[in-house]
Amino acid sequence: MAYVNLKEIALIVGVVAACYWNSLFCGFVFDDVSAILDNKDLHPSTPLKNLFLNDFWGTPMSEERSHKSYRPLTVLTFRLNYLFSELNAVSYHFLNVIFHAAVCIVFLKVCKLFLDNRSSLVASLLFAVHPIHTEAVTGVVGRAELLSSIFFLAAFLSYTRSRGPENTIVWTPIAVTVFLVAVATLCKEQGITVVGICCVYEVFIAQGYTLPILWDTVLQILRGKGSIPYCMLQMLLKLIVLMFSTLLLVVIRVQVIQSQLPVFTRFDNPAAVSPSPARQLTFNYLLPVNAWLLLNPSELCCDWTMGTIPLVESLLDIRNVATIAFFCFLGTLLIFSLRYAGDSSKTVLMALCLIVLPFIPASNLFFPVGFVVAERVLYVPSMGFCMLVAHGWKKLSSNSVLRKLSWVCLSLVLFIHALKTLHRNWDWESEYTLFMSALKVNKNNAKLWNNVGHALENEKNFERALRFFIQATQVQPDDIGAHMNVGRTYKNLNRTKEAEESYLIAKSLMPQIIPGKKYAARVAPNHLNVYINLANLIRANESRLEEADQLYRQAISMRPDFKQAYISRGELLLKMNKPLQAKEAYLRALELDRSNADLWYNLAIVYIELKDPTEALKNFNRALELNPSHKLALFNSALLMQESGDARLRPEAKKRLLNYVKEEPHDANGYFNLGMLAMDDKKDAEAETWMKKAIKLQPGFRSALFNLALLYSQTAKELKALPVLEELLRYYPDHTKGLILKGDILMNQKKDIRGAKECFEKILKMDPNNVQGKHNLCVVYFEERDLIKAEKCLVETLALAPHEEYIQRHLSIVRSKIALLGTGEAATLPSEKTTASEGGKTPPEDLKGAKNENLKVAKNEQRSSRTTNSDSNKGQAKPKKQGEKNTTDKETKKKSTKEIKDIEKKRVAALKRLEEIERILNGE
């Protein structure tokens, strides 16, 4: 076993750091968005077992839309990153660089088994700087390749120790090898291919067979001319153990994906759905294309799907020459390595194994993959390529004539590759830079045009994004996702007519249902979002709600397990005032996914519409069990508890609101409702603090301003209420209750009769039938000693509210005073203060009614996954919250028992004040 010294380690680490230091300044781009930003499996709140139930992207393996890429150990490292730095991209890139350096060091150790020290270091350095690795190292999702490679090489190194003295078997290294193979496979699927390399190593390296010798030995045994040699029996036993272990891993892997292959569209891999001979010719041509990328990595591209590489449809295609040349060269090397004994042939054989065997899962030979060419899958095959180059360099440098030239060429290659890698890293800085660099290499890939459009769309640059999306439809006219992107962008630009036209084009490209025949076409799940997006667009028109519902039902008929269709339909049915049908839709969606907190939240909204707050609260609680930080469930369940009037629920409501403001520290609504809870608990100082915080975050917050003024009024701080009311009326001059409260304070505290009169007159100008404003204006007339006008005013008020006893009583008092003045028994009216009559002390705004009204399910349309470019929502309904600009001070039609008691208390207090007024007016 060869050893690696500290100088070699330091050199490799230094070279890796020099090539990849700038990757630390890159963000999350391309597939990183789905694997990191949108993957809930990274969150500490997600159970660890989910990592072993979901695919690499966080989708349950049981769902058809799953990519079937099972890499739980790689996701576990992402989760550790998230635990220490959440979504700080620097830590993710830094760990990738460390893993790449580790792979280079372990690879150096492997090379020393077949090359001398100098050539091994050359191979390792070439591997460290090769530009083809930027996708695997600088792209965060490339960590799957890095981790798998570490255990891949470690498994091989362990196997090389399985041969003991006199060709005996050492079982411990074999057991370790099997374990490391399993770990490598749990990092990425290609890890299992190291078993093939171990088998080749055992037969042709450890046992020293060449193909002719092995063939002669087998023939002798079959002819009965000799027994099986002991060394061959030992070899066969080891191979059987390896193959059995591999078979077991394959069976487990098949069980994990539930014997289902992932569904890819023809745009992901056009050759996979092409007829013969185009399919075979294209797949064979892709092999020299990959080899060329290793040999000349000058034009690299992050996405090689769609029309990047045109199909090879004829035997006369000139590209077939490249395919023939590649196979001839590969065949020559293979024959040389298998036919002849010697160190050189062994080195070439192991290099070929590293190139070919790990590439088989991505070769389309056994099953179709979702790409045409992917640079990151060349990470392990490039090890064999670097070994071949180092071995060739060794041959050249041993020639005295070519020694200097070989060193110059090697230095030049390493320097140019290092510069290319350093420059290539900057392409991964952002999605815009990445996809624009790809368009320089390939303009025939509609997906690249779409993704540049997405990058611009994220920057709210919709006009420029639209141009790229339209270009994508011109490059690939039958790309459903591109037309959906155009439609979404038109919608963002408020050009609904053009948006609908684009969605209809996308819909026309979907496989059509044939009446009377079972729909059996396999449709990419995200393409069905065209029905969702079109329905979401047209349902803004109240006259087209049924048409939108038909689209949702059509999507469900095509895919009964299409969860998003049930969610969107549930929202629509609520809008159509069909809560029972909405409930059925959400329950059907929950059958498909009971772990979706948003679904439980939406079902709670349905129960609110059904006037069943108990069930609503249960479903809110279920949503919070699944996602304790579900902001909308926290907020609205707290409101539901608050409006229930049950004092026992207030502590929990407060706890949830505090959690909400922790999640949304800049949302004034959370602080406002904390203030309302404090008012309910008679904690005036705390209520004042929360209200002020809400107003600071949202100046002009109508409900917060009024209730703060009311709080001051109820706690004998009327003069502090006046500036708050002034601010309220500056934003909302027609706020009736604010005007009544202000008039009351001006008349009773400031003795400003004129100011109070202006307030009440303004109310009546807006609403001539407002009884409170009318009555208080009558009191103003009384204070002005205009008894005739006061009498007339009270008569008009009584006509508006004939059953109000206090108005009748006041009218009789005024008439009695007029009669007394007529007899000359009284010369003046008393100058005692007069309060605004019943209702003058305005009760708190009935915000509970607003809460119920605001608990509505609202659609939320958003961009699709990056691969299909759809723009469906995610099913999370967003209710309007209190304090929004469209909030109104409407009172509920049905008062709760607590509210009725509060009103009765205020009525009794008002009547007591009226009795005092009567005594004053009667001269008692």
Side-chain angles (χ1 to χ4, degrees):
M1 180 64 66
Y3 294 95
V4 179
N5 60 51
L6 288 178
K7 289 182 180 180
E8 291 170 330
I9 293 175
L11 176 61
I12 290 173
V13 171
V15 169
V16 169
C19 289
Y20 286 100
W21 64 268
N22 58 338
S23 69
L24 302 182
F25 300 97
C26 298
F28 296 116
V29 297
F30 202 21
D31 289 338
D32 298 347
V33 175
S34 299
I36 308 296
L37 300 183
D38 298 338
N39 192 347
K40 293 182 180 179
D41 287 347
L42 272 63
H43 301 171
S45 59
T46 303
L48 273 174
K49 67 176 183 179
N50 283 23
L51 273 63
F52 296 89
L53 299 176
N54 299 339
D55 67 13
F56 188 53
W57 318 96
T59 306
M61 294 292 290
S62 58
E63 295 189 11
E64 186 176 353
R65 64 189 179 95
S66 169
H67 198 274
K68 309 301 181 187
S69 46
Y70 189 67
R71 304 162 192 172
L73 296 186
T74 303
V75 179
L76 181 61
T77 65
F78 292 151
R79 185 167 174 139
L80 292 174
N81 270 121
Y82 188 93
L83 184 64
F84 287 106
S85 64
E86 293 193 351
L87 294 177
N88 182 0
V90 174
S91 71
Y92 293 80
H93 289 294
F94 180 70
L95 198 55
N96 271 24
V97 174
I98 290 177
F99 285 145
H100 180 55
V103 173
C104 294
I105 293 169
V106 180
F107 176 58
L108 173 61
K109 197 166 186 176
V110 171
C111 289
K112 288 191 175 187
L113 297 174
F114 310 103
L115 295 168
D116 59 37
N117 286 341
R118 181 179 293 174
S119 301
S120 298
L121 187 60
V122 167
S124 183
L125 289 175
L126 183 58
F127 179 80
V129 303
H130 203 295
I132 201 72
H133 300 154
T134 51
E135 183 171 344
V137 181
T138 310
V140 177
V141 295
R143 185 177 298 178
E145 269 74 22
L146 306 177
L147 284 173
S148 180
S149 298
I150 291 173
F151 296 109
F152 179 102
L153 295 174
F156 176 70
L157 287 173
S158 176
Y159 186 80
T160 59
R161 298 181 176 183
S162 64
R163 184 182 180 188
E166 298 181 0
N167 210 24
T168 57
I169 301 175
V170 183
W171 289 106
T172 301
I174 294 178
V176 172
T177 297
V178 172
F179 172 76
L180 291 174
V181 170
V183 173
T185 306
L186 290 175
C187 293
K188 192 175 181 183
E189 297 78 2
Q190 69 182 26
I192 201 170
T193 59
V194 71
V195 173
I197 295 176
C198 291
C199 290
V200 173
Y201 172 84
E202 177 65 31
V203 175
F204 296 101
I205 309 298
Q207 301 299 331
Y209 286 108
T210 62
L211 193 59
I213 295 174
L214 184 63
W215 180 250
D216 289 341
T217 304
V218 171
L219 286 178
Q220 291 291 333
I221 295 170
L222 292 176
R223 291 170 182 170
K225 295 183 179 180
S227 60
I228 301 176
Y230 176 76
C231 63
M232 183 172 281
L233 286 173
Q234 295 284 78
M235 178 187 75
L236 289 174
L237 181 59
K238 292 168 74 174
L239 294 182
I240 289 171
V241 171
L242 282 178
M243 297 307 296
F244 178 79
S245 302
T246 304
L247 182 61
L248 182 62
L249 287 175
V250 170
V251 170
I252 294 173
R253 183 68 175 83
V254 171
Q255 289 297 316
V256 166
I257 66 173
Q258 300 182 4
S259 303
Q260 292 180 346
L261 289 175
V263 178
F264 299 115
T265 68
R266 58 191 176 88
F267 304 115
D268 296 323
N269 190 349
V273 295
S274 298
S276 299
R279 181 169 64 254
Q280 291 78 13
L281 291 175
T282 303
F283 283 156
N284 284 314
Y285 172 68
L286 293 178
L287 299 176
V289 169
N290 282 279
W292 180 250
L293 287 174
L294 290 173
L295 188 63
N296 178 31
S298 59
E299 293 187 341
L300 301 178
C301 181
C302 63
D303 194 309
W304 294 80
T305 56
M306 290 192 164
T308 304
I309 299 177
L311 295 174
V312 181
E313 299 178 301
S314 169
L315 291 171
L316 299 178
D317 194 311
I318 190 64
R319 291 175 292 176
N320 290 320
V321 175
T323 304
I324 295 170
F326 171 78
F327 278 107
C328 288
F329 179 72
L330 191 67
T332 301
L333 290 177
L334 190 62
I335 291 171
F336 167 77
S337 61
L338 292 175
R339 187 175 182 83
Y340 303 103
D343 293 338
S344 181
S345 61
K346 291 178 180 179
T347 302
V348 172
L349 179 61
M350 293 311 300
L352 289 176
C353 287
L354 282 170
I355 292 173
V356 174
L357 294 179
F359 186 74
I360 287 177
S363 65
N364 289 281
L365 293 178
F366 298 105
F367 47 82
V369 294
F371 53 83
V372 178
V373 173
E375 292 166 12
R376 61 174 174 260
V377 303
L378 293 174
Y379 190 77
V380 176
S382 67
M383 295 179 186
F385 172 79
C386 293
M387 282 183 67
L388 277 180
V389 172
H391 182 59
W393 174 83
K394 174 187 174 183
K395 295 290 186 183
L396 290 175
S397 61
S398 62
N399 187 313
S400 59
V401 177
L402 300 175
R403 182 179 294 114
K404 290 184 178 179
L405 181 61
S406 66
W407 276 101
V408 171
C409 291
L410 175 64
S411 303
L412 192 61
V413 167
L414 290 174
F415 181 71
I416 292 174
H417 275 30
L419 281 183
K420 173 65 177 178
T421 299
L422 192 66
H423 181 266
R424 174 65 174 158
N425 288 335
W426 289 120
D427 292 340
W428 293 79
E429 183 178 13
S430 68
E431 294 205 321
Y432 180 77
T433 56
L434 179 64
F435 297 127
M436 286 302 293
S437 70
L439 282 176
K440 293 176 183 176
V441 176
N442 171 33
K443 291 181 170 58
N444 296 322
N445 187 339
K447 192 173 175 183
L448 294 175
W449 293 98
N450 278 320
N451 284 332
V452 174
H454 283 311
L456 293 169
E457 187 179 36
N458 290 336
E459 298 173 359
K460 307 300 181 185
N461 193 342
F462 298 121
E463 292 287 353
R464 282 192 66 198
L466 181 61
R467 291 199 291 271
F468 281 90
F469 288 142
I470 291 175
Q471 181 63 34
T473 63
Q474 293 172 354
V475 171
Q476 190 84 38
D478 57 351
D479 182 6
I480 297 172
H483 290 287
M484 291 168 67
N485 289 334
V486 173
R488 185 185 62 253
T489 310
Y490 274 131
K491 183 183 177 183
N492 289 332
L493 293 170
N494 295 319
R495 295 165 64 177
T496 55
K497 183 180 178 182
E498 292 93 336
E500 184 174 350
E501 290 174 354
S502 296
Y503 283 141
L504 287 173
I505 293 173
K507 180 173 173 286
S508 69
L509 294 171
M510 294 288 291
Q512 300 301 307
I513 299 177
I514 302 174
K517 291 188 178 181
K518 184 179 178 181
Y519 185 81
R522 301 192 81 187
V523 181
N526 285 320
H527 280 175
L528 283 174
N529 284 320
V530 66
Y531 295 97
I532 307 299
N533 297 338
L534 181 56
N536 290 345
L537 178 69
I538 66 176
R539 79 184 198 184
N541 185 341
E542 296 289 338
S543 65
R544 302 181 69 184
L545 297 182
E546 289 293 343
E547 186 181 347
D549 189 34
Q550 177 62 32
L551 286 167
Y552 291 137
R553 283 182 283 146
Q554 186 174 354
I556 291 170
S557 69
M558 296 174 74
R559 292 280 303 251
D561 63 342
F562 189 24
K563 178 180 63 180
Q564 187 56 53
Y566 293 104
I567 294 172
S568 298
R569 185 165 185 250
E571 296 173 359
L572 177 67
L573 290 169
L574 272 180
K575 186 175 182 179
M576 297 170 70
N577 198 26
K578 296 179 180 180
L580 289 174
Q581 293 184 39
K583 176 183 170 183
E584 292 176 5
Y586 285 132
L587 288 174
R588 180 70 183 91
L590 281 169
E591 290 177 10
L592 299 170
D593 184 7
R594 298 191 67 82
S595 62
N596 189 321
D598 296 334
L599 280 174
W600 291 103
Y601 169 81
N602 285 352
L603 188 58
I605 299 300
V606 173
Y607 279 114
I608 287 175
E609 292 295 323
L610 291 171
K611 311 299 182 187
D612 191 346
T614 303
E615 282 298 318
L617 190 56
K618 286 181 182 177
N619 285 281
F620 278 138
N621 291 340
R622 187 62 186 272
L624 290 171
E625 287 174 10
L626 293 168
N627 181 7
S629 61
H630 195 291
K631 292 179 283 191
L632 294 174
L634 286 170
F635 182 83
N636 289 294
S637 62
L639 296 191
L640 201 59
M641 293 175 178
Q642 184 181 357
E643 72 178 26
S644 70
D646 188 346
R648 294 171 299 177
L649 294 177
R650 287 179 193 160
E652 179 62 23
K654 181 178 180 180
K655 178 183 175 182
R656 293 187 182 188
L657 285 173
L658 288 172
N659 287 336
Y660 175 77
V661 297
K662 186 185 295 183
E663 295 288 331
E664 289 285 346
H666 301 297
D667 185 3
N669 298 284
Y671 301 103
F672 166 71
N673 283 284
L674 281 167
M676 293 300 293
L677 270 177
M679 288 180 72
D680 289 341
D681 288 333
K682 310 301 180 187
K683 297 178 180 179
D684 300 331
E686 183 181 337
E688 180 182 355
T689 301
W690 291 124
M691 292 294 183
K692 284 183 175 179
K693 181 124 188 181
I695 295 167
K696 182 179 179 181
L697 286 171
Q698 185 179 321
F701 192 157
R702 177 167 60 183
S703 298
L705 286 167
F706 177 79
N707 283 284
L708 179 59
L710 184 62
L711 177 66
Y712 286 141
S713 176
Q714 291 175 339
T715 53
K717 299 177 182 177
E718 288 89 347
L719 296 182
K720 290 184 71 174
L722 271 179
V724 179
L725 288 169
E726 292 290 350
E727 185 178 357
L728 170 68
L729 294 170
R730 179 163 58 86
Y731 284 101
Y732 309 100
D734 57 349
H735 196 286
T736 303
K737 292 182 180 180
L739 288 167
I740 289 176
L741 185 57
K742 180 182 177 183
D744 180 34
I745 295 172
L746 289 175
M747 185 160 55
N748 293 319
Q749 303 299 323
K750 300 283 288 183
K751 308 300 181 184
D752 184 357
I753 304 300
R754 180 179 295 179
K757 184 178 181 180
E758 289 176 357
C759 290
F760 301 139
E761 286 177 341
K762 186 170 183 179
I763 292 171
L764 293 176
K765 186 177 180 181
M766 296 183 295
D767 180 11
N769 295 324
N770 187 293
V771 176
Q772 267 188 324
K774 186 84 170 174
H775 175 267
N776 288 354
L777 184 60
C778 300
V779 176
V780 170
Y781 292 149
F782 186 90
E783 286 290 325
E784 292 178 338
R785 300 178 178 81
D786 192 342
L787 298 181
I788 302 299
K789 203 167 185 178
E791 179 190 22
K792 180 182 178 183
C793 178
L794 285 168
V795 170
E796 294 173 354
T797 307
L798 188 60
L800 293 174
H803 302 295
E804 292 290 350
E805 182 185 351
Y806 73 94
I807 300 177
Q808 296 175 2
R809 185 180 301 175
H810 283 192
L811 180 58
S812 64
I813 291 172
V814 171
R815 284 175 173 170
S816 298
K817 184 59 63 179
I818 291 173
L820 289 173
L821 288 173
T823 60
E825 293 183 13
T828 61
L829 286 172
S831 59
E832 299 289 339
K833 73 175 183 178
T834 306
T835 64
S837 180
E838 185 162 336
K841 289 286 185 179
T842 313
E845 278 196 303
D846 193 357
L847 293 166
K848 295 175 182 178
K851 292 168 192 170
N852 273 331
E853 181 179 288
N854 286 335
L855 288 174
K856 301 292 185 185
V857 178
K859 65 180 181 179
N860 64 335
E861 195 160 335
Q862 72 177 49
R863 189 159 74 84
S864 66
S865 65
R866 312 193 64 73
T867 53
T868 59
N869 310 314
S870 66
D871 58 351
S872 71
N873 55 16
K874 285 189 177 178
Q876 180 167 328
K878 295 185 178 179
K880 297 175 185 175
K881 301 173 191 165
Q882 295 187 45
E884 293 184 353
K885 293 183 179 179
N886 60 344
T887 304
T888 58
D889 299 312
K890 295 182 180 179
E891 296 194 12
T892 52
K893 295 180 180 179
K894 295 184 179 180
K895 304 287 185 181
S896 66
T897 304
K898 181 178 178 298
E899 289 175 303
I900 292 172
K901 289 180 180 179
D902 289 343
I903 292 172
E904 286 301 321
K905 288 179 183 178
K906 293 179 177 66
R907 185 185 294 275
V908 171
L911 289 174
K912 288 181 179 179
R913 290 197 298 272
L914 291 176
E915 289 175 0
E916 292 176 2
I917 295 170
E918 290 175 20
R919 286 196 297 270
I920 293 169
L921 295 175
N922 291 327
E924 294 181 4

